[in-house]
Amino acid sequence: MTILAIETSCDETSVAIVRNGREVLSNVVMSQVDYHKEFFGVLPELASRKHLEFIDISIRKAFEEAGLTIKDIDRVAVTFGPGLVSSLLIGVNTAKTISYFFDKPLLKVDHVEAHLFSPMLENDVPFPFIGLVVSGGHTNLFVVNDFFDIKLVGHTVDDAVGEAFDKVSKILGLTYPGGPVIDKLSKEGDEKRFLFPLGAIEKDYDKYNFSYSGLKTSVLYTVKKLGSLSKQDIKDICASFQKSAIDVLYLKVKKLVEETGIKNVAISGGVSANSYLRKKLLSDNEIRTFIPSPKYCTDNAAMVGLVAYFKPVEANLSDDVYPRIAGIVKGKRKV
Ligand code: KG4
Ligand code: ZN
């Protein structure tokens, strides 16, 4: 089965053609990051305007790269949420139009589920596994028994971890997105110089939840206290912040591994590109970690094509987009 997959939930316009779930024939990603840089975050109205501009080009390119035409497509899949409503609408309306005009069944995909299963594009990830989805919009911990049995066991109660990287980068006068630059500068910094709080809540009922707003505020106060920052100060703050932000992800994954006995861990989303997180997980001999290559860590439509194949959810032309984690993983919340 050949699926045309579309992803426009945030600021990447992406179109992929995926055969039988894992054979990626094309995966076009048109990033808008240069347009949003000056705002230090994604500006929703600008994002939707750019999606509108990029969507046709991306579809044409995806067909060209795959060497196929619409006649070769069996189904059209698209992200319905969670994400920015005005961005989601561009992808969903495009997919609905193609589905209606060319008479192809329409499938709906949840963006967080797409990230969650994205390590399967390149690896044979055995069920059950522990899934950690960490991006600019999400910090979620799951127990995944199969495609249809997914339990959300932990989530952030305020900022997402990637958002914390972006905000700290802004506080330090660095660039957007913050993750890659903080990751890089941390390598030359002293992670023990500043003692920032862990990005977590320690109460028992919240044992798998995360909280990043206190950590971000702590960095802000430290910067204010120091007054002017030397280059070394910035590197030390980056390393100390990164340690607090990432250690908690590792600690909670470890706790869940111990509690469930599940040793397979799949991480995904933009923050899974973090070198310190990768090192910590990959050097732990008690767990088996699966991480997508960088092109599948950030938003892409190939992961949408994968989920649509293994977990087909039919959509109607009247189905609406949804902004928050609610759609398909709804009702599985433990906390
Ligand atoms: O998955 P993604 O591309 O988009 C969302 O769905 O949010 O993730 C983007 C996020 C940004 O917050 C960015 O700062 C973060 O991922 N990120 C990183 C790294 N590379 C990207 N965070 C930490 N370390 C990195 N190396
Ligand atoms: Zn994402």
Side-chain angles (χ1 to χ4, degrees):
M1 181 190 293
T2 307
I3 292 179
L4 172 69
I6 299 177
E7 155 66 46
T8 62
S9 67
C10 192
D11 63 337
E12 261 102 26
T13 316
S14 183
V15 179
I17 298 178
V18 185
R19 188 169 283 156
N20 297 334
R22 293 175 61 184
E23 198 188 331
V24 181
L25 304 178
S26 61
N27 180 45
V28 176
V29 181
M30 292 185 72
S31 173
Q32 304 179 6
V33 74
D34 287 341
Y35 302 97
H36 296 281
K37 259 192 173 118
E38 63 177 294
F39 307 104
F40 258 93
V42 179
L43 201 67
E45 166 152 357
L46 180 61
S48 60
R49 285 176 190 273
K50 287 290 162 195
H51 281 309
L52 205 53
E53 198 181 315
F54 293 163
I55 191 81
D56 286 5
I57 309 167
S58 306
I59 292 171
R60 275 176 218 284
K61 262 190 169 169
F63 275 111
E64 228 174 81
E65 280 177 24
L68 300 180
T69 69
I70 189 72
K71 287 198 197 90
D72 303 306
I73 299 298
D74 300 301
R75 305 258 190 285
V76 183
V78 62
T79 305
F80 268 74
L84 298 169
V85 166
S86 50
S87 288
L88 289 161
L89 282 170
I90 307 297
V92 167
N93 282 333
T94 305
K96 282 179 177 176
T97 309
I98 295 171
S99 157
Y100 181 75
F101 193 78
F102 294 102
D103 198 19
K104 310 277 179 190
L106 182 69
L107 300 173
K108 76 163 83 170
V109 171
D110 182 278
H111 182 71
V112 176
E113 286 196 356
H115 275 305
L116 181 61
F117 292 109
S118 62
M120 288 186 167
L121 280 166
E122 301 160 298
N123 301 285
D124 289 319
V125 186
F127 290 117
F129 67 82
I130 286 168
L132 178 70
V133 179
V134 277
S135 70
H138 308 284
T139 311
N140 295 312
L141 193 55
F142 297 93
V143 171
V144 185
N145 290 314
D146 58 50
F147 281 106
F148 299 89
D149 183 359
I150 304 165
K151 287 189 191 75
L152 175 65
V153 293
H155 60 92
T156 180
V157 296
D158 41 54
D159 294 347
V161 56
E163 195 179 349
F165 272 88
D166 297 337
K167 286 179 176 169
V168 165
S169 182
K170 186 175 182 185
I171 293 169
L172 295 175
L174 302 172
T175 51
Y176 173 83
V181 63
I182 290 178
D183 192 349
K184 194 167 158 230
L185 292 176
S186 294
K187 293 191 169 69
E188 292 161 28
D190 175 4
E191 62 179 29
K192 295 204 179 85
R193 179 165 162 206
F194 299 101
L195 211 84
F196 295 129
L198 281 182
I201 302 172
E202 291 307 320
K203 289 189 196 105
D204 202 37
Y205 62 86
D206 262 339
K207 65 181 175 179
Y208 290 120
N209 282 349
F210 306 93
S211 168
Y212 282 101
S213 67
L215 171 57
K216 174 197 65 193
T217 309
S218 180
V219 172
L220 181 66
Y221 284 143
T222 301
V223 169
K224 280 193 175 158
K225 217 163 126 191
L226 285 171
S228 66
L229 299 177
S230 69
K231 279 192 177 146
Q232 195 55 48
D233 288 337
I234 292 177
K235 289 174 183 168
D236 293 346
I237 293 172
C238 283
S240 306
F241 158 76
Q242 177 172 273
K243 184 171 168 45
S244 290
I246 299 294
D247 276 356
V248 66
L249 298 173
Y250 174 70
L251 289 173
K252 299 221 172 192
V253 165
K254 275 296 268 187
K255 196 188 274 195
L256 194 54
V257 168
E258 274 156 27
E259 199 173 292
T260 59
I262 300 170
K263 294 195 183 324
N264 301 312
V265 175
I267 67 165
S268 50
V271 182
S272 64
N274 184 268
S275 60
Y276 178 66
L277 177 62
R278 284 174 175 243
K279 203 170 102 198
K280 279 205 89 118
L281 286 166
L282 291 170
S283 60
D284 186 325
N285 294 328
E286 283 174 4
I287 54 183
R288 227 173 124 206
T289 305
F290 301 90
I291 313 175
S293 54
K295 67 180 173 189
Y296 297 136
C297 281
T298 47
D299 289 348
N300 66 87
M303 64 186 189
V304 174
L306 175 126
V307 172
Y309 176 77
F310 288 107
K311 186 178 182 176
V313 179
E314 280 186 31
N316 292 317
L317 291 181
S318 56
D319 284 352
D320 207 357
V321 301
Y322 53 91
R324 293 184 198 291
I325 182 161
I328 295 165
V329 286
K330 186 180 169 186
K332 303 273 183 189
R333 261 194 161 156
K334 223 176 108 188
V335 285

